[in-house]
Amino acid sequence: MPPEPEPRSRVQPAKSPPTYSGVETLRIYWLPITLFAASLCFQLLVVPHFFPSSHYDVLGIKRYSSIEEVTKAYEKLSSKWSSGVDADSTDSFIKVRYAFELLTNQIWKRDYDLFGIDEQFDVTERAKVQENWTSISEIRLPLIAPVSFELKDYDYSLINPDKFVSMHESNKAFLVQIFSFGSGQCNQFLPKWKRIVELLDGVANTGLVELGDTQLATYLAEKKPSGQPFLRYGVPALLAFPPGCKSLKCLHRYEGQLSVDAVTDWVATFILNLPRIPYYWKESLAQKFLANTKPHKVKVIFFSKTGERASPIIRHAAKSYLAFADFAFVYWQESESSLWLNMYADSSD
């Protein structure tokens, strides 16, 4: 009987890897190569544009150098320019001059070093676009306008760490403004802040923290992954603790428009959870308010000559009596005064 044939092995011999020419390799790997090149260009060209070097780098000195070192560096650089240089050199001079002015002002330097605040930086771009300087001698100095800030305007509500703790322990909501005496934006916001404080009186505590109080300002500021404190939208920065909030975990940061109405409405609506009181025209008051109010409820109508939103104290009262009354606002117009007087005036006399 002939022997049975041996079974074939299932293991196939390994194939040698294919070899490609340079052109074929490029065809196969063109996509990852393109993506890598694009990423490299982004890192080298785009990122530096959006994350420019610091003002210390412009002067060629290390970060956090003293004012004396800033002055020496500026004098060394500025001595290289003459009044007959071209426009490209004037652009460079503007950057150097701006860095010098910013970093030799104690308050501006403090704000920049500790919190990265540089709210005047747009003056360098405006100078390039709006002015047609061809030599350094034509540049109007200083580039940064000084800020005239009256300390007494803020004294009444400045808070230190001890006062912050005592106000924070209250069960009331707490609105805080972080500001700087070197900020023109804070100076412009001052009249609005005073009005906001008046409108919140009785329903929320308010206070001001100056960046010079580095301990408290750093505690309230946001933190980068490195631990560096920063204020995302610069100053003034508004933040609020809801009633009963005792830590930063329940802190709210304001990101809206810096107007009296927007800020007070944010505090009343989102921090205090107070109801809004709608406005009605004479045509809609009867149909949408009076007709929809339940018979057992009192109807409370406020007349406003300004058209302003209901103040927080009125909204607080409305919330307290919401089970017993409904509230409405009507814009008062002199042309309609006789109509309202005939409808709602007290004729008991």
Side-chain angles (χ1 to χ4, degrees):
M1 187 175 183
E4 295 182 3
E6 294 183 3
R8 295 181 181 180
S9 174
R10 294 183 180 181
V11 178
Q12 300 295 326
K15 295 181 179 180
S16 60
T19 58
Y20 302 104
S21 64
V23 175
E24 291 174 329
T25 302
L26 288 176
R27 287 177 180 175
I28 296 173
Y29 296 104
W30 71 269
L31 181 58
I33 292 174
T34 302
L35 293 176
F36 174 77
S39 175
L40 186 62
C41 290
F42 181 83
Q43 294 290 332
L44 295 176
L45 302 177
V46 179
V47 171
H49 175 73
F50 288 98
F51 298 93
S53 58
S54 73
H55 296 303
Y56 292 98
D57 295 329
V58 170
L59 294 171
I61 54 179
K62 64 181 180 179
R63 196 171 180 88
Y64 309 121
S65 294
S66 66
I67 291 179
E68 291 74 17
E69 292 172 315
V70 170
T71 303
K72 290 180 181 178
Y74 170 75
E75 291 175 348
K76 182 179 179 180
L77 290 172
S78 61
S79 64
K80 298 179 181 179
W81 284 296
S82 64
S83 59
V85 297
D86 57 26
D88 290 338
S89 294
T90 56
D91 289 347
S92 300
F93 176 79
I94 289 172
K95 293 179 181 179
V96 170
R97 176 68 192 192
Y98 177 87
F100 165 72
E101 292 184 14
L102 179 77
L103 299 176
T104 52
N105 181 290
Q106 290 184 350
I107 296 180
W108 293 341
K109 186 178 189 298
R110 175 204 67 190
D111 296 349
Y112 180 71
D113 287 349
L114 297 181
F115 301 96
I117 294 175
D118 185 14
E119 69 177 34
Q120 305 100 329
F121 185 65
D122 61 323
V123 303
T124 59
E125 297 302 320
R126 291 204 310 268
K128 297 174 186 177
V129 174
Q130 297 177 358
E131 305 291 347
N132 189 25
W133 292 318
T134 58
S135 66
I136 291 176
S137 61
E138 297 176 356
I139 299 177
R140 290 191 294 271
L141 301 177
L143 295 174
I144 308 176
V147 178
S148 177
F149 218 109
E150 293 294 336
L151 182 64
K152 61 181 178 63
D153 290 336
Y154 269 132
D155 276 349
Y156 71 97
S157 56
L158 274 174
I159 56 176
N160 54 31
D162 293 335
K163 190 173 181 180
F164 173 81
V165 171
S166 64
M167 296 181 73
H168 193 43
E169 289 177 349
S170 169
N171 287 326
K172 274 188 176 181
F174 188 17
L175 177 66
V176 179
Q177 180 196 162
I178 303 176
F179 80 105
S180 169
F181 284 126
S183 168
Q185 295 177 4
C186 292
N187 193 33
Q188 294 174 4
F189 184 63
L190 176 59
K192 297 178 183 178
W193 173 256
K194 288 182 175 181
R195 179 58 180 159
I196 291 169
V197 171
E198 293 172 355
L199 290 172
L200 293 178
D201 186 32
V203 297
N205 292 324
T206 55
L208 288 155
V209 175
E210 212 274 327
L211 290 180
D213 190 340
T214 55
Q215 178 185 359
L216 186 52
T218 300
Y219 171 75
L220 294 172
E222 296 181 76
K223 306 297 186 300
K224 295 180 180 179
S226 61
Q228 172 90 15
F230 76 104
L231 298 169
R232 188 179 304 272
Y233 302 104
V235 287
L238 302 179
L239 45 94
F241 296 88
C245 174
K246 305 297 181 183
S247 71
L248 295 179
K249 293 181 180 180
C250 46
L251 171 71
H252 294 263
R253 299 184 187 276
Y254 182 68
E255 299 179 357
Q257 181 183 3
L258 290 174
S259 67
V260 174
D261 178 73
V263 173
T264 52
D265 182 59
W266 174 71
V267 174
T269 304
F270 298 103
I271 306 303
L272 297 171
N273 196 28
L274 300 179
R276 287 192 173 111
I277 302 177
Y279 266 84
Y280 295 92
W281 296 101
K282 64 177 182 178
E283 295 83 6
S284 62
L285 181 67
Q287 181 180 3
K288 294 185 177 181
F289 176 68
L290 298 176
N292 291 332
T293 301
K294 294 182 179 180
H296 71 279
K297 282 191 172 184
V298 176
K299 303 172 183 65
V300 181
I301 302 174
F302 296 93
F303 290 90
S304 172
K305 291 184 177 180
T306 63
E308 292 180 346
R309 199 188 304 270
S311 66
I313 194 69
I314 293 178
R315 293 171 64 175
H316 185 270
K319 183 178 181 179
S320 301
Y321 293 96
L322 205 55
F324 313 102
D326 282 339
F327 299 81
F329 260 81
V330 174
Y331 181 59
W332 177 272
Q333 294 178 311
E334 290 298 330
S335 59
E336 300 174 352
S337 58
S338 58
L339 169 67
W340 299 120
L341 291 173
N342 290 333
M343 290 177 62
Y344 301 110
D346 184 4
S347 57
S348 58
D349 293 339

